[in-house]
Structures are given as C-alpha cells and as structure tokens.
Amino acid sequence: MLGTRNAVANLAVSDLNRARRFYGDNLGLKQIDSEGDDFAVFRSGDSDINVYRSEFAGTNEATAVTWNVDDLDAEVSALRSKGVTFEHYDLPGLEVRGDVHVGEEGKMAWFKDPGGNILHVVETVREPA
C-alpha cells in the first residue's frame, strides 16, 4: 500500500515565476519538470515538491513542508544569506533565540514562500547511541 511509496508536497502560489526563483535561487532546489506558467516540480533530496498556480494561494495557515537538517543554525544562516526572512511564533515550550525556536526536542525555524506557504526546518535532539 502507500507505506512503501514516496509522498509529494503540493504548494499553491499566485506567481509561479516568483516561486521558481525562490525555490531555485533561495532554497537551492533543482527544477526537474514544468508545465508552462502553471506548474513546476522541484527535487528536494529523494522527494518532489509540486508548485502550482492557484487562486487559493496563501490560504493555508499551517506548516506545509518540513525539512530535517543536521545543523539548523548553519541552515538558517545560509537561507538568511539568500534573502529568506524567518517567522517568529509564540509557542508553548519554545524559546525564540534570533530566528530559531529552541525546545527540549530540538531547534526549529519557520519561513514563508512567495505564495504564503509556511515552510519549516528542524534539527531534532538525537539520543546518544
């Protein structure tokens, strides 16, 4: 069943050309397919992210995509250097330190794409082996 298949994220945007620049230039994802000005596919690791033009772009108020990283501080610094602006949320159990939210389970940061989709990077605490 579906447990053996890769999942694909789908993100609605109002301006696909602006989103192409953001996902390619700012996030460093490679565009691997497209259909004119309405649809583009980006590769992220072994996963794909479909970005498509929609009148409903910007209506999702929850996290749409999460990336697990080994060094969140380095990732945040690299993204910031590419012009990414981070969101700050008042969440229970998390302390905001600069652009990073820190809690017992790890560190995380949120930012939005040009379509208003909330994107998330996280570094979880690993128990010693």
Side-chain angles (χ1 to χ4, degrees), residues 18-62:
R18 187 171 170 214
R20 278 186 171 118
R21 289 188 302 275
F22 178 80
Y23 283 96
D25 298 340
N26 296 77
L27 302 190
L29 305 184
K30 180 180 179 184
Q31 183 176 321
I32 60 170
D33 198 6
S34 69
E35 292 179 16
D37 292 330
D38 293 322
F39 181 80
V41 181
F42 293 88
R43 178 62 42 95
S44 179
D46 291 331
S47 302
D48 293 341
I49 298 175
N50 295 335
V51 180
Y52 64 98
R53 196 165 54 91
S54 171
E55 65 184 278
F56 300 108
T59 60
N60 183 3
E61 295 183 17

Side-chain angles (χ1 to χ4, degrees), residues 1 4-5 11 45 53 60 75 83 102 112 114:
M1 293 204 38
T4 62
R5 308 301 300 175
L11 301 174
R53 196 165 54 91
N60 183 3
E75 199 69 40
V102 180
K112 291 183 181 178

Side-chain angles (χ1 to χ4, degrees), residues 12-116:
V13 297
S14 58
D15 184 338
L16 188 60
N17 288 326
R18 187 171 170 214
R20 278 186 171 118
R21 289 188 302 275
F22 178 80
Y23 283 96
D25 298 340
N26 296 77
L27 302 190
L29 305 184
K30 180 180 179 184
Q31 183 176 321
I32 60 170
D33 198 6
S34 69
E35 292 179 16
D37 292 330
D38 293 322
F39 181 80
V41 181
F42 293 88
R43 178 62 42 95
S44 179
D46 291 331
S47 302
D48 293 341
I49 298 175
N50 295 335
V51 180
Y52 64 98
R53 196 165 54 91
S54 171
E55 65 184 278
F56 300 108
T59 60
N60 183 3
E61 295 183 17
T63 300
V65 177
T66 298
W67 285 271
N68 292 305
V69 298
D70 294 325
D71 184 346
L72 183 75
D73 294 321
E75 199 69 40
V76 166
S77 179
L79 289 167
R80 193 182 307 112
S81 76
K82 294 288 190 173
V84 172
T85 302
F86 290 89
E87 301 291 308
H88 302 128
Y89 300 111
D90 183 18
L91 299 170
L94 294 178
E95 177 185 338
V96 179
R97 297 181 191 161
D99 288 324
V100 175
H101 295 66
V102 180
E104 286 184 25
E105 301 297 318
K107 301 187 291 187
M108 55 209 74
W110 287 269
F111 58 97
K112 291 183 181 178
D113 75 358

